[in-house]
Amino acid sequence: IAMKPILTKLAAEGYRVSPQNVDKTPALWSQISGTPTWVAANGDRIVGQKSELEIKTWLEAHGAKIK
């Protein structure tokens, strides 16, 4: 996972993130339009490579910060 270092850092900072591997779970392909795909609890999503700041801003807007 190319985004794994960012995911690990975000999780350590208290963001709710859960990486999923579409190669190991092919059924996920029907739910996304590309990788990486970020999905919020309410179903909102963003697709494509994003900077750490863009991801943090999006996660905070969706209430994903828990600490």
Side-chain angles (χ1 to χ4, degrees):
I1 298 175
M3 300 294 295
K4 189 169 185 175
I6 291 176
L7 287 171
T8 301
K9 184 176 179 186
L10 291 170
E13 292 177 8
Y15 291 90
R16 289 181 286 184
V17 293
S18 176
Q20 303 295 314
N21 185 330
V22 293
D23 291 328
K24 293 183 180 180
T25 314
L28 292 175
W29 276 115
S30 66
Q31 300 173 33
I32 62 172
S33 61
T35 60
T37 295
W38 300 83
V39 182
N42 69 354
D44 286 352
R45 55 188 68 215
I46 55 172
V47 179
Q49 201 79 10
K50 306 292 181 202
S51 71
E52 183 178 339
L53 179 59
E54 287 175 299
I55 296 166
K56 276 185 177 183
T57 301
W58 188 82
L59 289 170
E60 287 172 4
H62 288 84
K65 178 101 173 167
I66 55 176
K67 291 183 184 176

